[in-house]
Amino acid sequence: MAKLKWSRLAWLAVVLVSGQIISSGYVSARELVYTPLPIEQPETVLDANRPLVSYLSKQLKTPVTIRYEKSYEEILRLFKLGQIDIVHLGPLPYVILKSSYPQAEPVAAINEPDGKASYTCAMVTAFDGPTSVRQVHRSIAFSQPLSTCGHLTAGYLLAKYGVKLEALHHEYLGNQDQVALSVVKGNYEVGTMKTAVAKKYANLTLRVIEETPPFPGFVLVANKTTLTPDQIKEISRALLSSSSKDRATLILGRHGFAPVVDAHYDLIRQNMRFSR
């Protein structure tokens, strides 16, 4: 009799827990994996992306977890393997991914503080560094090979003045914060990064020498191999129809989202020769 009573209690507990899961909307929902772009220091990147992941999880009624990867190449590899469902990419890695993996589906571009889905990259130096790109002749620091504000930006700006990137000593430091700090310390003559990141270090005497024209914005990309068409539509809807109230708690995405116009990324495609 006692065993029967405990069996009934155990069954009741399962029913109650199941009811809670169903009422939460997460029943049978596979946990989705979101990977941010490692532009800045890991803690900065994670802090900026957590509110967005929380918002998406709530809107999709599906748990979403962050998978941090420090290498752009590894992010693209894992996405193609189906181990990442949603990824945050800059224009260069987006173009590279899209050209080699048709299952990459852009769902929204991310607006910058000016409300536009575009931004500039900059070549920077310390307070006593060169005053123009034409004067650069020693060394340059990049974050990663596939960063839009890296090899591509440097090649584009240097070519305007007939300076050969191949003639400069260059190294990859992992993220743009590291580039900024190394240039300020005088370890490198110049570096390249997103202009908005450079402005964070103006108080440390980091100085912008020259900026690129506006590049198309950062983009959120869904994986058609791992997500259903309905899930992708819902992700896009949640982002593009988000209200200012929805975005009040966001850091990445605070200024809104815009539809992705693939033709805007032709500017990157036309300058791919500088990314190698």
Side-chain angles (χ1 to χ4, degrees):
M1 187 69 179
K3 287 184 178 179
L4 181 59
K5 185 175 181 180
W6 277 111
S7 296
R8 287 177 177 173
L9 287 173
W11 177 83
L12 180 60
V14 170
V15 170
L16 288 173
V17 171
S18 299
Q20 289 174 352
I21 294 173
I22 292 170
S23 66
S24 71
Y26 287 80
V27 65
S28 74
R30 176 181 68 85
E31 184 176 68
L32 302 184
V33 177
Y34 169 93
T35 296
L37 202 60
I39 301 173
E40 301 171 87
Q41 295 285 58
E43 59 272 18
T44 303
V45 172
L46 292 172
D47 286 346
N49 282 270
R50 283 192 187 103
L52 176 61
V53 167
S54 178
Y55 170 74
L56 285 174
S57 182
K58 182 178 179 181
Q59 292 296 311
L60 301 174
K61 295 183 172 59
T62 302
V64 183
T65 187
I66 296 178
R67 175 170 180 168
Y68 181 87
E69 295 290 339
K70 63 182 181 180
S71 163
Y72 286 36
E73 289 93 338
E74 183 67 2
I75 289 172
L76 299 190
R77 187 184 75 83
L78 292 172
F79 191 90
K80 293 177 184 179
L81 289 175
Q83 295 183 29
I84 295 173
D85 300 294
I86 309 167
V87 67
H88 170 217
L89 294 176
L92 177 59
Y94 163 69
V95 166
I96 291 172
L97 177 64
K98 189 70 174 172
S99 67
S100 61
Y101 187 69
Q103 296 302 95
E105 180 68 21
V107 290
I110 302 170
N111 291 340
E112 296 293 326
D114 62 1
K116 298 177 182 178
S118 62
Y119 69 101
T120 63
C121 298
M123 183 172 289
V124 301
T125 190
F127 74 98
D128 56 351
T131 57
S132 76
V133 175
R134 195 187 305 275
Q135 296 172 348
V136 177
H137 65 279
R138 288 192 295 108
S139 60
I140 186 167
F142 302 131
S143 58
Q144 298 207 26
L146 297 187
S147 170
T148 310
C149 293
H151 215 278
L152 184 147
T153 287
Y156 177 87
L157 293 176
L158 290 168
K160 290 172 59 178
Y161 299 94
V163 180
K164 298 289 187 181
L165 177 56
E166 296 75 16
L168 305 178
H169 170 71
H170 68 272
E171 291 186 27
Y172 299 104
L173 306 185
N175 62 61
Q176 295 181 17
D177 285 328
Q178 291 299 326
V179 172
L181 292 172
S182 292
V183 171
V184 167
K185 292 175 183 176
N187 296 337
Y188 299 90
E189 186 179 25
V190 295
T192 55
M193 63 191 63
K194 189 178 181 183
T195 305
V197 175
K199 289 178 179 178
K200 292 196 315 178
Y201 293 91
N203 63 330
L204 296 181
T205 72
L206 191 70
R207 179 166 50 82
V208 172
I209 304 175
E210 189 164 336
E211 294 179 50
T212 64
F215 286 147
F218 287 78
V219 63
L220 293 170
V221 181
N223 196 333
K224 291 196 288 186
T225 297
T226 64
L227 298 171
T228 67
D230 285 344
Q231 284 178 307
I232 293 174
K233 286 180 183 177
E234 188 60 22
I235 293 168
S236 181
R237 183 208 62 77
L239 297 169
L240 297 178
S241 66
S242 61
S243 65
S244 56
K245 182 179 179 181
D246 293 330
R247 300 191 303 270
T249 60
L250 301 185
I251 299 175
L252 183 72
R254 176 178 295 171
H255 305 289
F257 303 91
V260 176
V261 180
D262 190 73
H264 291 173
Y265 294 81
D266 287 345
L267 176 61
I268 301 298
R269 296 182 178 101
Q270 292 161 8
N271 289 285
M272 287 286 286
R273 67 188 184 280
F274 295 125
S275 67
R276 299 179 179 86

